[in-house]
Amino acid sequence: MAAARGPVICLGAAVVDLVFQLDVIPREPNKILAKSRTRRNGGPAGTGAVACSRLGIRAAFWGNVGNDADGIQTREALARHGVDVSGLAMVEDAQTVLAVVMVDRLGERLIVAHGADLFERPAGKLPLDRLQGAGAVLADSAWIEGSLAILEAARGLGVPSVFDGEDSRGGDRLLQLSQLATYPILSEGAFAKLAGGAAPDRTSLEGLSTRIGRDLGVTLGEKGSVWWIGGEFLYVPAIQVTCRDTTGAGDVFHGAFAGGLTEGMPIERTIRFATAAAGLKCQAGNGWDGMPDRQAVEQAMRLIG
């Protein structure tokens, strides 16, 4: 393993998840009984940081939680998984985000979250002076002001950065953040917002890459991911696993991708590294305690066509 230049700094959301296991996620108003209930942690940036740490890559979390029992538990959970939490702020007048996650027997999920006002805070207290020693930056779509600040600072310092672009945000913000990141990695919905509703194919990827002046990727769940890298189209399939729970798989992908950048991996190897990590996360489920280790990911990379 190549020596890391510095930690992956993951900025954005760390939350508490209440996970309900169901046979089928309801599609219309109904009353149903869950097969099980589990309390876990999640959030894109928090999960990305834990994924890096499990892979043997130093990671730090920067973001806000409430100064409440859930916030204390979230901070402790991150630290227990080896993540530097010195950039985590506990906000007095806010509640830690709580998400209800319904997972069906195929591992697909539906998420409802409360407390997103926590991410409407200004970014003035971010310790951006620490970026000089970072290996990479990962910013999610939750805390827009924080993501703008860290991506702009990383760009100025030449620190490679990843933007986890979700379709929960408006097109203008998605465009702005994508233009700042070294590698914007978009969901299909986020890509459609920026590409006039187009599906991600060779032509539409090239068009958006030209528009934002960046290489980029689009994650496709069980179908893998597509990329426009260095003027070329690239498709990387997902590994085939028995899926237990897809929750957090995309977050693991982004964390492992940022970790690969930190270690100076070639870009195609970085994508395959992230693909293998995400697939193994689907297979394991179990929140932050289900993260794959380095050996398992290296072995799973051989399964990618």
Side-chain angles (χ1 to χ4, degrees):
M1 181 179 72
R5 295 180 297 161
V8 177
I9 297 178
C10 303
L11 179 143
V15 311
V16 172
D17 289 340
L18 293 179
V19 182
F20 293 86
Q21 190 74 43
L22 312 174
D23 283 327
V24 178
I25 296 172
R27 304 300 179 185
E28 57 186 33
N30 202 345
K31 181 186 292 185
I32 55 177
L33 293 176
K35 298 175 68 176
S36 66
R37 182 190 71 183
T38 310
R39 188 180 180 89
R40 299 175 183 158
N41 291 100
T47 301
V50 172
C52 285
S53 182
R54 179 62 171 155
L55 291 167
I57 300 165
R58 292 167 56 205
F61 174 80
W62 290 9
N64 300 328
V65 297
N67 189 14
D68 53 19
D70 285 340
I72 293 169
Q73 184 275 328
T74 300
R75 181 187 179 102
E76 291 176 347
L78 286 164
R80 175 168 56 85
H81 285 284
V83 175
D84 178 352
V85 293
S86 60
L88 181 150
M90 302 191 72
V91 181
E92 290 291 340
D93 59 340
Q95 293 179 310
T96 300
V97 174
L98 179 66
V100 173
V101 184
M102 292 182 283
V103 182
D104 69 16
R105 62 176 177 268
L106 298 178
E108 295 299 329
R109 81 285 190 271
L110 176 67
I111 301 174
V112 179
H114 174 265
D117 59 311
L118 188 66
F119 303 123
E120 302 305 319
R121 309 289 167 136
K125 295 184 179 180
L126 283 176
L128 295 174
D129 55 307
R130 299 186 201 170
L131 280 181
Q132 189 70 55
V137 162
L138 168 62
D140 69 27
S141 303
W143 185 18
I144 293 295
E145 295 303 321
S147 292
L148 288 169
I150 198 171
L151 290 174
E152 186 169 7
R155 184 176 182 180
L157 293 169
V159 175
S161 60
V162 179
F163 169 53
D164 169 6
E166 293 290 337
D167 58 355
S168 59
R169 293 296 181 175
D172 289 346
R173 287 303 206 185
L174 285 171
L175 179 63
Q176 188 177 12
L177 289 160
S178 295
Q179 290 172 323
L180 287 173
T182 311
Y183 292 102
I185 304 177
L186 307 173
S187 68
E188 289 183 85
F191 180 84
K193 282 187 176 181
L194 295 182
D201 58 19
R202 182 186 301 269
T203 300
S204 59
L205 281 163
E206 180 181 11
L208 183 56
S209 176
T210 300
R211 181 183 176 195
I212 65 176
R214 290 283 182 270
D215 290 341
L216 76 151
V218 181
T219 53
L220 307 173
E222 64 183 8
K223 295 177 288 185
S225 60
V226 288
W227 301 80
W228 190 261
I229 300 288
E232 298 290 338
F233 176 81
L234 175 66
Y235 167 66
V236 178
I239 63 171
Q240 299 303 305
V241 299
T242 299
C243 182
R244 179 178 177 186
D245 184 356
T246 61
T247 307
D251 308 329
V252 170
F253 185 101
H254 300 121
F257 185 95
L261 295 181
T262 296
E263 293 191 351
M265 292 182 188
I267 188 61
E268 289 194 28
R269 177 173 173 80
T270 298
I271 297 168
R272 292 172 186 274
F273 183 66
T275 299
L280 292 178
K281 181 67 181 71
C282 290
Q283 180 173 262
N286 202 29
W288 289 355
D289 292 325
M291 296 295 180
D293 63 19
R294 185 65 174 245
Q295 183 179 2
V297 170
E298 296 282 1
Q299 291 175 345
M301 289 173 69
R302 302 170 189 166
L303 303 177
I304 300 173

